[in-house]
Amino acid sequence: MKALARSATLLAGFATALLALLGAGGAWVRPAADDWCYQTNMRTMSVRQFVHFLYQDSNGRAGNAVLLAWVHGLGPLGLQLYPVVVIALLLGSLWLLIARLVRLFGRHVPVAVQLLTAAAAALVFLLVCPQPYQTTYWASGGISHTVPAVLSTVLVSAVLCLPGRGGRAGLAGRWTAALALLLGFAFIALVSEAMALVVGVLAAALWLRAGDVCADRPARHAARLGALAAAAGSAGGLLVEYLSPGMHARSAGLGVPHGAELLHRLRDGLVTWLGDLATTLSSWDYAAVVLAGVVLGLTTRHLDPAALTRSGLFPRASTRRARTAEPAGSARTGDEATLAAPAGGGPAVVTATAHADGAAEHPTAAATPTTSGAVGAGSAGGAGGAGGAAVVTADVADGSDGGTAPAPEVRTEPPAGPALAVRSPLRLLVWAAVAVLLGSLLVTELVQAVFGSWIWYMVRTWNDWRLPYTLLLAAAGVAAGRLLAGAVAPVPGTPRRRRAALLLPALLGFALVGLAQPAVAVVHQTRVRAHHWDAQQRQLEAQLRRGVKNPTYVPSYIGHLRDAYTRSGRADWVASCINDYYGTHIHLPAHSTDWLNQVQNAPIP
């Protein structure tokens, strides 16, 4: 599979270049929709005042308010830095998550393949959606529906590194990880209640099926403790938000229904969920992450015992000695055990220490007993495997009788293996799929119950469950790759099988090229709008300097987001925010209402 690994390097470079292009496009981001209001608020409010305002009067999302304050507190520069930070965190956390899971499974995957899988998953998450602009560039909406998924990945990948290189932690390490998950997911719940629902469902699934992914009891205990902490943190954050004054104020303003009307909305939510699910499952754009997972599965190989020991996945063996009384005059130096026998003959105990590198030291007495071939040959590998500690006992006959010693009894300590091991990939994938689907249903029902008919404008709420769905597809690809690896294994006289496997990079390359089109399109739209916005900004500033009381503003829509316009003779709420932004009442040209009948992202006039 060397050729496959080399092609993965080129594909990883291409996918990373697309993400870099998206990050560079952030330089052309300009205020849109809610940005106008938040940019104006942060001119007169401190972070504390802004958080208090959202918690008390707006929506109760205190964590959301903290992130919004940090972004908008930097002014227009914060809007431009936001995509760069989000893309970097997403790619880095996915890469770390994949690398850590690979090591915890006791496997090795080329670094380029890990990067390829992470970059493909990031591209699919950011671009395969109804409005890539809202997912990638719009800070005010992305902090509610894109950043929570990214923060969850960052938190999980960081916690997986806490127990140590072997994947098993002591009591203090487990509780440290649990505390981090508790506080982290409580904050994420205060950023997005929809993401909290998804995390709660996934945590419950992990708690129930920890035995399907954990190799031993310590790993299962750690997984279940972490799942319980994540669920508790999400529930606690949801409770704090639900009891906030801002949540009640938003519910009163939106007119959240009760009784029969609520049931009607929930029924509509089920229909909406089925439509969204059909759209998602039928999208071929997700093929890139599946194929990347297949490449990862094909290039995965088991680490040899010596490499596992060096990496820390197999702990170094501790020396075990025979618990016997030693007469005076017997000596032990370091890890070397000498023959301890009474002067009158009889039973004696010989201990041989097996080191982690497989070498065993032997007794240095004059009458060395006969040992088994595994230990006598100087290798502990046949006795207990790499890293095991072998204890050899033998009865030495009285020297005067000239007897010979029987074969020794060998007791070994098996080394600790990797912390994770999947016993049934199909069963695990089914449980994960059920959890993701249930989480997506809860998110859709929540949005439908709160926003009603406005749900058609809330397509960005898909992001709360699409990242787990994307990772699920990658895992399915890995499982398929492991099955395919056996079918295309090098067999003498069958070179066609290996050549057939090389078709995979070509298919993956086509899938990544397909993702390049929406990436280039969203960057182009953002650049064109920035050109119009900057030109209009210069015109507005010139009109204000001349003392014009009602300067003209031409809307510039992008990404299905609202801009200043009038409907039925009433000023839109965005227009009022733009008035506050410029400190004057803007005037809309007569043709601005024509935008209402045009498709979103129409050419800028």
Side-chain angles (χ1 to χ4, degrees), residues 47-94:
V47 174
R48 178 180 173 277
Q49 291 172 332
F50 185 74
V51 172
H52 182 269
F53 165 69
L54 259 66
Y55 183 77
Q56 291 287 336
D57 305 321
S58 182
N59 52 32
R61 297 174 178 172
N64 194 299
V66 172
L67 299 179
L68 284 172
W70 285 347
V71 171
H72 292 284
L74 298 175
L77 178 62
L79 301 178
Q80 298 167 10
L81 291 177
Y82 163 80
V84 180
V85 175
V86 170
I87 292 173
L89 285 177
L90 178 61
L91 177 61
S93 61
L94 287 175

Side-chain angles (χ1 to χ4, degrees), residues 27-202:
W28 293 301
V29 173
R30 301 295 184 267
D34 301 56
D35 294 343
W36 293 104
C37 304
Y38 295 143
Q39 289 276 306
T40 304
N41 290 336
M42 290 309 300
R43 290 178 179 178
T44 58
M45 294 182 181
S46 63
V47 174
R48 178 180 173 277
Q49 291 172 332
F50 185 74
V51 172
H52 182 269
F53 165 69
L54 259 66
Y55 183 77
Q56 291 287 336
D57 305 321
S58 182
N59 52 32
R61 297 174 178 172
N64 194 299
V66 172
L67 299 179
L68 284 172
W70 285 347
V71 171
H72 292 284
L74 298 175
L77 178 62
L79 301 178
Q80 298 167 10
L81 291 177
Y82 163 80
V84 180
V85 175
V86 170
I87 292 173
L89 285 177
L90 178 61
L91 177 61
S93 61
L94 287 175
W95 192 0
L96 178 60
L97 179 65
I98 293 171
R100 186 58 183 160
L101 288 177
V102 166
R103 299 299 283 183
L104 290 178
F105 276 106
R107 308 295 178 89
H108 171 75
V109 175
V111 175
V113 178
Q114 298 176 12
L115 177 60
L116 172 62
T117 308
L123 284 172
V124 166
F125 173 66
L126 294 174
L127 298 175
V128 184
C129 59
Q131 286 302 321
Y133 183 89
Q134 294 188 22
T135 306
T136 309
Y137 290 139
W138 189 40
S140 297
I143 286 176
S144 299
H145 302 291
T146 299
V147 171
V150 177
L151 290 180
S152 299
T153 309
V154 172
L155 179 61
V156 172
S157 59
V159 166
L160 286 178
C161 296
L162 286 179
R165 300 176 66 189
R168 294 171 178 82
L171 187 62
R174 291 180 187 178
W175 284 102
T176 300
L179 181 61
L181 291 171
L182 178 69
L183 298 179
F185 280 114
F187 176 80
I188 291 173
L190 291 173
V191 176
S192 170
E193 59 271 25
M195 192 66 205
L197 293 177
V198 175
V199 170
V201 173
L202 294 177

Side-chain angles (χ1 to χ4, degrees), residues 300-362:
T300 298
R301 64 179 178 85
H302 288 277
L303 287 174
D304 59 272
L308 286 169
T309 302
R310 289 193 300 269
S311 68
L313 291 174
F314 280 6
R316 296 183 67 87
S318 59
T319 301
R320 285 185 58 184
R321 299 182 182 276
R323 303 285 183 175
T324 59
E326 300 181 15
S330 66
R332 295 178 183 267
T333 303
D335 290 337
E336 180 180 353
T338 60
L339 181 65
V349 177
V350 181
T351 61
T353 302
H355 296 279
D357 58 2
E361 298 192 17
H362 304 285

Side-chain angles (χ1 to χ4, degrees), residues 199-244:
V199 170
V201 173
L202 294 177
L206 176 60
W207 190 86
L208 290 173
R209 309 306 303 179
D212 291 341
V213 294
C214 298
D216 50 26
R217 182 176 297 176
R220 287 194 298 272
H221 288 174
R224 284 174 175 154
L225 180 61
L228 184 61
S234 299
L238 278 176
L239 182 62
V240 171
E241 182 180 345
Y242 179 76
L243 297 177
S244 66

